[in-house]
Amino acid sequence: MGGRSAREQARARRTELTQTSLQCKLTGMTVPANASESTRLDELAAVTKEYATYSRTAYGFAFVVTGAALLGTQTLDVVTRSLWARLSYLLLAPVWLLLLTVARRYYQRHGEVVEREQRVIGRGWMLGCVYFVSAAEMFVLGSSYGRGSWPGPLPAMLATFGIVAIPVLAAEVVRGKIDAAVTLTLIFTSMFAAFPLVPAAKDGEIDSLDPAISIVRAGAMLTLSVFAIAIVVAGVRQHVRHRALQRRLGALNERA
Amino acid sequence: VTEPKSPALSGLLDVDRVVHEPARLAILTVLASAEEVQFKFLEEALGLTRGNLSSHVSKLEEAGYLTVTKAFEEKVPVTSYRITARGRKALETYRAAMLQGLGRGKG
C-alpha cells in the first residue's frame, strides 16, 4: 500500500473544516485551517471568562483565610469574652482587603483580565451585603443595648456609618479595581466603627440577660458563622478550579 | 452568464476581512469575553509573538474595534485593551455570516 496520491491529499485538505467551520478554505485565509480551530475559539472564550472571574468574584485562598480568621475570631470572642477579641472583628476588614489584592495578583499572574459585570452577580453581592450589614448592626446594637454603656449619639452615628460602609465598600472593591483610596477609606471606617464597641465591652462581659437581646446576638453570630463557612467553601472551590484553568490555558498556548 | 449568488454565499464573500484573519478573530473573541484584557494575557492565551500581536492589535485599533489604555504599574508599562461596541458588532456579524453560510443560522 503506497501513500495517498497528491490529488487525494489535496482533496483531503479541501474537505477539512476551517477555523470558521467552513468546508473549504476561503480566499484571503492566510493560515492553514483545521477542524479544531472553531472549538479552540470557544475554549478561548470560556477560559478567558473563567480567568476574568479572578478579578472580581473569585478570590480563592483570600476567601479561605478570611473565613477561617472570622471563625477563629468568633471562637475567641465566645471563649474569652474580651474586648480585644471583639476589636479583632474590625481588623478583619483591612486584612481581607489586603488578601484580595494579593489573591488577584496570584491568580492573574498571566496578565490582568477584568471580568464583565453581570447583573445577576451584582444583585447577589448587594443582597449579601444588605444581609451582612443588618447582621453586623444587630450584633453591635444587641450587645450595647440595655447595658447603660451606650456611647452617645456621635460615636453611634459613626459606628452605623462604619458598619454600613465596610461591607458595601468591600463589595464594591470585590466587584471593581482595588485602589489605595478605597482601601484607606475602609481602614478608617473600621477605626470609626471601633469607638462604640469599646465602652460596650469594657467590662469584659458582653452578654445580656435580656432574652430578646440574646436572641438577636445569637442570630447575628450564626449569620457570621454561616458567612464564614460559605466563603471558605467558595474559596476552596475557586482555588481548585484555578488549577484546572491553568492546565487549560497551557493547553491553549501549546495548540496555538 | 454569472449565476446569481445565494444569500448565504453572498454573506460569506462579504465578511469583514479585518475580523476574518484567524489571529484577529481570536483577539476579538478574547476581548469580547472580558471587560478589559492586558497584553500579557493575550500573549499567553494566543501564543503569538509580541510583534505579531502588536501588529494585529494595531489593525483592530485602526478599524475602531478596540481601544488601548497604556499605564505604568510600579514603573512597568502595562497595556490593556477593551473591545468597542463596533468591534463587538463586527464579531457578531461575522459569526452570524459564518453560521448562515453553513446553514446553521436561525433563518
Side-chain angles (χ1 to χ4, degrees), chain A residues 137-151 200 206-210 212-214 216:
Chain A
E137 278 199 286
M138 281 194 295
F139 178 70
V140 173
L141 295 176
S143 56
S144 301
Y145 174 77
R147 292 191 43 77
S149 58
W150 183 248
I206 54 171
D207 287 339
S208 169
L209 294 175
D210 186 338
I213 301 299
S214 299
V216 167

Side-chain angles (χ1 to χ4, degrees), chain A residues 18-168:
Chain A
T18 68
Q19 84 278 19
T20 51
S21 299
L22 295 174
Q23 296 294 331
C24 63
K25 188 178 175 187
L26 287 176
T27 314
M29 194 172 283
T30 54
V31 173
N34 59 65
S36 63
E37 201 58 32
S38 177
T39 317
R40 181 175 166 263
L41 286 178
D42 291 339
E43 174 69 357
L44 199 56
V47 165
T48 306
K49 273 182 190 165
E50 195 166 330
Y51 185 86
T53 61
Y54 291 88
S55 69
R56 280 184 168 164
T57 48
Y59 285 95
F61 74 81
F63 281 166
V64 176
V65 174
T66 309
L70 185 54
L71 286 171
T73 306
Q74 273 195 296
T75 310
L76 199 70
D77 183 16
V78 170
V79 173
T80 66
R81 296 181 176 185
S82 68
L83 167 65
W84 295 110
R86 294 198 69 205
L87 287 179
S88 56
Y89 282 110
L90 299 166
L91 291 175
L92 289 177
V95 168
W96 185 16
L97 281 170
L98 184 68
L99 284 169
L100 294 187
T101 314
V102 176
R104 173 179 284 182
R105 286 192 180 171
Y106 172 75
Y107 289 116
Q108 292 214 331
R109 56 186 176 273
H110 299 297
E112 205 171 285
V113 178
V114 181
E115 185 180 18
R116 286 184 75 192
E117 195 174 338
Q118 291 172 21
R119 286 182 182 179
V120 177
I121 292 174
R123 273 202 295 270
W125 273 107
M126 287 315 293
L127 279 173
C129 272
V130 169
Y131 189 59
F132 189 61
V133 167
S134 310
E137 278 199 286
M138 281 194 295
F139 178 70
V140 173
L141 295 176
S143 56
S144 301
Y145 174 77
R147 292 191 43 77
S149 58
W150 183 248
L154 182 62
M157 195 174 72
L158 289 173
T160 307
F161 169 72
I163 290 163
V164 171
I166 290 167
V168 170

Side-chain angles (χ1 to χ4, degrees), chain A residues 20-21 109 112 114 253 256, chain B residues 35-36 38 40 44 46 94:
Chain A
T20 51
S21 299
R109 56 186 176 273
E112 205 171 285
V114 181
N253 197 328
Chain B
E35 194 166 306
E36 193 174 72
Q38 277 185 359
K40 194 179 166 189
E44 185 73 27
L46 304 178
Y94 177 81

Side-chain angles (χ1 to χ4, degrees), chain B residues 42-88:
Chain B
L42 282 175
E43 202 182 350
E44 185 73 27
L46 304 178
L48 296 171
T49 62
R50 287 188 175 198
N52 201 359
L53 184 55
S54 295
S55 156
H56 287 303
V57 161
S58 297
K59 281 178 186 162
L60 288 168
E61 191 188 4
E62 280 168 21
Y65 291 167
L66 58 83
T67 55
V68 185
T69 311
K70 295 190 178 191
F72 283 90
E73 281 180 13
E74 293 166 3
K75 295 183 181 176
V76 178
V78 175
T79 311
S80 304
Y81 304 98
R82 277 171 189 258
I83 192 168
T84 59
R86 195 175 166 189
R88 203 175 288 279

